[in-house]
Amino acid sequence: MTLEINKSYHGFRLLTVKKIKEVASTTYQFEHEKSGARLLFLENKDDNKVFSITFRTPPTDDTGVAHIVEHSTLCGSRKFPMKEPFVELVKGSLNTYLNAMTFPDKTMYPVASRNDKDFQNLMDVYLDAVFFPAMYTQPEILMQEGWHYEIEKPEDELTYSGVVYNEMKGALSSAESLLDKEILTSLFPNTTYGFESGGDPEAIPDLTQEMFIDFHNKYYHPTNSYIYLYGDMDILAKLAFLDQNYLNSFDRIAIPSKIEEQTLFTKPQKITKEYPIASTEQTQDKTFLSLNAIVGKATDAEEMLALEILEHALLKTQAAPLKKALIDAKLGKDVLSSFEDSLLQPVFSIIVSGSDEKKADEFQKIIQTSLQKLVKDGIDRELLEASINLLEFKLREADFGQFPTGLIYDIKLMNSWLYDGDPTMFLYYEAALQKMKDGLKSHYFENIIQTRLLDNPHKTIVVLKPNQRMAEEKEVELTKILAQAKEKMSDAELAAIISLTAKLKERQETPDTPEALATIPLLELKDIKKETEALIQEKRVEDGTDILFHAVTTNQIAYLNLYFDASAIPEALLPYAFLLSELLGKVSTQKHDYSSLANTLNLHTGGISYDISAYTKNAKPDSLVPKFKVQAKSLVTKLPKLCELLTEVIMSSTFDDEKRIRELIDQCKATMEMYMIKAAQQLVAGRLASYFSPAAAYNEKGMLSFYDFIVDFDKNFADRYSQMKEKFAELQPIIFNKQNLLVSVTLEEENYPAFTQAFKQVQSALSIANYPQQTYAFAIDKKNEGFMTSSKVQYVSKGANFIKLGYEFTGSMRVMETILRYDYFWNRIRVQGGAYGAFTQFRRNGNMMFGSYRDPNLAETITVFDETVAYLQAFAISEREMLKYIIGTMSTLDTPLTPKMKGELAAECYIHGVTELDLQRERDEILATDQKAIAALGTLVKACMQQNNLCVLGSETKIKENETVFGQLKTIFD
């Protein structure tokens, strides 16, 4: 495509054209002359097209208005007058990504699809939503998505509800999230970053309808927009569509949305705050200490790259000297770090968890002296080179998993574009990388430490300490506030709120009309591929080892997965096997101490990781196929070194450094405690499945049960450490054994011989002894546990195994997942119940689960799960709506896969015993699903719900209020 600079195309003047080889794209920067909208197009051959419109949305208070507006724009618009166009799109689109995101200073609305017609439909719905939302005339939208007083009868207690209100109650229940909030507040007392863009639950009820509308009216205008297009498309057609259908309706105006800089401090400041823990938790070693600094400007791309490298080198690798100094000083259990570069003034944070507030001064002193020593003596060059190499590997690999590549580029380029910089600056990296490598020969990195961390007066020490009474006190205070608010209301005011509550519920419970639903553009069945994607896999044998070879273009990167049969591990040793997977690569070997090992791994590989997972065979719910999995990647030219290092780690790691093991146990415990709050829904689902699945019971040994093991190890370290060395010596030949090893390798066909040659050294080092397969006696029973925390919301899960109850897996269950998640659960649990979300899973092994997350309710949600049966048995919709659900389900099957993901999918299908024929049958059953098939599944759901398997994590108060539904009550953190 040839376009001329300074020429106008459908109202867009072309400003620049650049070829950027790092992202294999040509960029075109436009400005819409009438409206002032900015537009950047990345042209390339990627068929996974991305569209996004972003607005600069700086908050001026903690009401979460930016976040609530983000939710609310997608609740109906001019052209699409139904309650939730977003949900209707999810139900019936082939999208590969569909979301909206609120950041501290911007709001993004990105979509992606590989289907041209679908992509156009997504653009249309999103543009109409942001420019012409129904929220101006329907106050129920703010009530639902933001907050409202909830009361049905005059004698009832007054309460708050709302999706964002409950979402943020959940988000700010975690100490880590609260710490992030307090760090920004401490560093930016005078700018927008000092406010919580997501919303503080204590301030959200201050948001009025007028403030809500004013925020949208002020910022949601093309002049304040950043439009992004990526992929293989007809850009002129897209420009014409944007101009004629949307932008031409607006005139350029002045919008005061510029992000102001924080005036820098003249000296560091210290702030102490509290966070809630459960009343039964100990407060000892639960304090977070953080040193935080504003470090330059986001638009300095080179310095941002240097700071990213420094963060990794000083704090993230096992060889990190600053992390080591803090650990050696016994200031806490773990050292964390954060470099937040998506702000006008980026923030660098050094954090110690599991500490004590009395250690704050020592914490600050050790950071100061350690950094001074690094500047004076110089940072180890191998350490820096290793961090540069790892970053370069990731930049060249450009593997973002299930996130579209174009989306990640969009998020990255906003780091300059939003602040009036060159939007393409972060897409280039070759010159900056070379500058980093050249910096190894000078004091380049030391100078950045000196100027940005040592000489910088704009720093804060934030101390976040635990409070056992805080959660209860806040609940008491909230009850008091609501009681006083009700008391001050006149009868007429109270009647008005009751009327509004009823009106909201009526809106939520009233289905959209067929006419409204018909406004959402819909694909046809002919737009969907009938054939499943082929599994790229060939089974080969090399020196007695089964090799699953995936011939995929990987850009000269080799992806290597080793699946060691773990079925010979005795049940008593399972906790130690999970511990071994945590420690490998973090301890010394016979050849390297752990610091030099980390450097060597980062210099020569893209990383090696270790994990244990139990698989099931297709349609066999009680089958158990445990694997100790080693994942590794490197450039093909580095395969010999990768295999050498892999062999060294798994065969010659040493565990006789008691001090190092003590540090790693502390770090593991601290990491798990943060994970268990952040990923509560996965934790609850895994625990629930262990009630009825042997494989899930095996996997659960690495989750909550493993945390209990680590806590015990920590308390009885001397005895457990001695036992650990004995157990590891017993485990290593059982696990790292050539017998029954399965290898998956993904690379180009011409590079396969390089793999086989390099892999010989691994094979020759492995044990060849025979060990008998174990029989595991897991207690598969209905525990029905309620896990109590300081969280203000719940994670509720209920399920069973339908194959054990006499049913079979069918593709129609995948359609039912879509229907329940985006219709029944969405309306009952999210819209009406105020939870952030709900999910449903039906798996080939028969495991089915319903779950809610960030949910203010508990018993009410269980009722919703149980009443799913009635919903399904009465299921009746139009053919058009049924088609919509089928299309939406297909989008989950056809997500684009990276080369690494293609290899892993094929290998794991092989382990599960799932064939291409099985996948095609599932696809055919999805496409053939009708109302009758969905209604028939009501019987299966009824049988599963009647098993009454239940697991909940949530508020101590809420769980105790519903004590009768549980078999056991537990506090996670005793």
Side-chain angles (χ1 to χ4, degrees), residues 3 13 59 82 89 124 158 160 179 212 297 322 361 390 452 469 492 510 532 603 677 708 747 784 825 866 907 949:
L3 299 179
R13 181 171 296 279
M82 74 277 301
L89 280 176
D124 195 15
L158 194 67
Y160 290 136
L179 180 62
F212 174 61
K297 293 282 289 292
L322 183 51
D361 291 341
L390 191 64
R452 293 304 181 195
R469 301 180 305 278
T510 303
T532 190
L603 274 169
I677 296 300
D708 293 339
L747 37 57
N784 286 21
F825 285 173
D866 290 340
N949 296 304

Side-chain angles (χ1 to χ4, degrees), residues 438-631:
D438 293 342
L440 295 171
K441 304 168 189 171
S442 68
H443 237 55
Y444 176 81
F445 289 99
E446 288 80 1
N447 289 340
I448 291 176
I449 291 176
Q450 187 70 51
T451 57
R452 293 304 181 195
L453 297 176
L454 286 172
D455 297 340
N456 180 1
H458 196 96
K459 289 185 286 204
T460 62
I461 296 286
V462 174
V463 178
L464 190 67
K465 61 182 186 179
N467 184 328
Q468 295 167 311
R469 301 180 305 278
M470 188 175 178
E472 183 181 354
E473 287 171 353
K474 282 188 175 292
E475 285 300 315
V476 169
E477 179 64 19
L478 178 58
T479 301
K480 182 179 176 183
I481 288 170
L482 286 164
Q484 290 175 345
K486 183 183 178 186
E487 191 177 327
K488 291 177 183 176
M489 292 175 187
S490 66
D491 290 345
E493 288 172 328
L494 188 59
I497 290 174
I498 291 171
S499 175
L500 284 171
T501 301
K503 190 175 179 183
L504 174 61
K505 290 189 179 301
E506 182 183 5
R507 179 183 188 272
Q508 292 170 337
E509 294 170 3
T510 303
D512 288 312
T513 65
E515 292 77 18
L517 292 171
T519 61
I520 289 282
L522 192 63
L523 301 177
E524 301 175 61
L525 275 180
K526 67 181 182 181
D527 296 315
I528 302 173
K529 289 189 308 175
K530 301 296 186 293
E531 294 76 32
T532 190
E533 291 276 353
L535 295 174
I536 303 172
Q537 185 160 265
E538 178 187 347
K539 187 176 178 182
R540 300 179 178 181
V541 179
E542 302 292 344
D543 190 23
T545 301
D546 287 344
I547 310 291
L548 300 177
F549 171 52
H550 319 285
V552 176
T553 300
T554 62
N555 208 14
Q556 299 300 306
I557 294 172
Y559 296 100
L560 182 61
N561 285 3
L562 277 59
Y563 297 92
F564 289 100
D565 179 30
S567 61
I569 299 174
E571 187 173 341
L573 292 185
L574 285 179
Y576 289 96
F578 280 101
L579 180 60
L580 180 64
S581 73
E582 288 287 330
L583 300 186
L584 285 175
K586 300 173 186 174
V587 297
S588 300
T589 64
Q590 292 172 8
K591 186 175 179 180
H592 292 91
D593 65 52
Y594 68 85
S595 293
S596 63
L597 175 65
N599 285 342
T600 306
L601 285 166
N602 290 335
L603 274 169
H604 297 289
T605 80
I608 305 176
S609 63
Y610 312 86
D611 188 25
I612 303 180
S613 185
Y615 299 83
T616 50
K617 286 296 183 183
N618 189 17
K620 296 180 179 177
D622 287 331
S623 58
L624 179 58
V625 186
K627 300 287 185 183
F628 191 108
K629 183 177 175 182
V630 181
Q631 292 183 284

Side-chain angles (χ1 to χ4, degrees), residues 65 95 115 160 265 450 527 555 590 700 849 873 962:
V65 60
N95 73 85
N115 180 285
Y160 290 136
F265 301 158
Q450 187 70 51
D527 296 315
N555 208 14
Q590 292 172 8
E700 207 285 321
M849 271 174 271
Q873 291 175 340
N962 294 274

Side-chain angles (χ1 to χ4, degrees), residues 819-840:
I819 292 169
L820 293 181
R821 183 172 185 179
Y822 293 111
D823 187 70
Y824 178 65
F825 285 173
W826 185 278
N827 290 325
R828 292 285 303 276
I829 294 176
R830 179 182 166 110
V831 172
Q832 297 169 33
Y836 185 52
F839 67 91
T840 174

Side-chain angles (χ1 to χ4, degrees), residues 603-869:
L603 274 169
H604 297 289
T605 80
I608 305 176
S609 63
Y610 312 86
D611 188 25
I612 303 180
S613 185
Y615 299 83
T616 50
K617 286 296 183 183
N618 189 17
K620 296 180 179 177
D622 287 331
S623 58
L624 179 58
V625 186
K627 300 287 185 183
F628 191 108
K629 183 177 175 182
V630 181
Q631 292 183 284
K633 58 185 177 182
S634 74
L635 295 173
V636 170
T637 54
K638 294 276 191 174
L639 268 169
K641 191 66 176 177
L642 174 71
C643 289
E644 175 191 321
L645 289 167
L646 196 155
T647 304
E648 178 185 339
V649 171
I650 64 175
M651 300 306 296
S652 72
S653 287
T654 59
F655 303 96
D656 50 10
D657 184 345
E658 184 174 344
K659 175 177 173 291
R660 179 60 178 162
I661 300 299
R662 168 92 260 183
E663 293 168 358
L664 292 172
I665 292 294
D666 284 345
Q667 290 173 28
C668 180
K669 181 172 178 282
T671 300
M672 288 196 75
E673 286 173 351
M674 284 191 287
Y675 167 82
M676 287 193 289
I677 296 300
K678 287 183 70 174
Q681 67 203 66
Q682 291 98 311
L683 197 76
V684 168
R687 187 74 165 201
L688 175 73
S690 73
Y691 300 169
F692 47 79
S693 163
Y698 187 107
N699 289 331
E700 207 285 321
K701 296 292 184 185
M703 298 172 74
L704 264 176
S705 295
F706 184 62
Y707 175 71
D708 293 339
F709 171 78
I710 291 294
V711 169
D712 175 70
F713 201 120
D714 182 51
K715 287 179 180 176
N716 304 285
F717 183 81
D719 289 344
R720 299 296 178 262
Y721 172 63
S722 176
Q723 293 169 6
M724 181 202 78
K725 290 193 288 184
E726 296 175 9
K727 306 298 187 188
F728 280 5
E730 187 178 347
L731 275 170
Q732 285 176 289
I734 297 175
I735 296 172
F736 303 120
N737 194 307
K738 192 178 175 184
Q739 308 294 332
N740 300 317
L741 167 63
L742 179 69
V743 177
S744 165
V745 60
T746 305
L747 37 57
E748 293 87 350
E749 175 71 56
E750 61 267 26
N751 291 323
Y752 183 77
F755 154 71
T756 57
Q757 185 62 35
F759 192 64
K760 288 178 182 178
Q761 61 186 305
V762 179
Q763 291 173 297
S764 63
L766 296 172
S767 164
I768 56 172
N770 287 308
Y771 292 92
Q773 184 170 327
Q774 297 290 310
T775 300
Y776 299 108
F778 298 129
I780 307 298
D781 58 5
K782 181 168 60 181
K783 298 184 181 72
N784 286 21
E785 295 156 301
F787 292 102
M788 298 179 291
T789 71
S790 60
S791 173
K792 297 176 183 177
V793 290
Q794 281 61 248
Y795 301 83
V796 184
S797 194
K798 191 173 183 184
N801 186 283
F802 58 81
I803 291 178
K804 291 184 179 184
L805 297 174
Y807 299 90
E808 295 181 355
F809 174 83
T810 72
S812 294
M813 292 176 185
R814 298 295 301 272
V815 182
M816 181 167 63
E817 286 182 350
T818 306
I819 292 169
L820 293 181
R821 183 172 185 179
Y822 293 111
D823 187 70
Y824 178 65
F825 285 173
W826 185 278
N827 290 325
R828 292 285 303 276
I829 294 176
R830 179 182 166 110
V831 172
Q832 297 169 33
Y836 185 52
F839 67 91
T840 174
Q841 294 177 353
F842 291 81
R843 294 293 177 254
R844 287 181 173 276
N845 60 11
N847 289 350
M848 68 80 60
M849 271 174 271
F850 294 158
S852 70
Y853 48 97
R854 293 183 181 172
D855 187 348
N857 303 309
L858 198 163
E860 298 88 344
T861 297
I862 296 171
T863 298
V864 172
F865 291 159
D866 290 340
E867 290 177 356
T868 305
V869 178

Side-chain angles (χ1 to χ4, degrees), residues 293-310:
I294 287 179
V295 285
K297 293 282 289 292
T299 48
D300 188 336
E302 180 192 306
E303 191 169 63
M304 294 303 101
L305 191 66
L307 284 162
E308 187 176 352
I309 290 165
L310 275 172

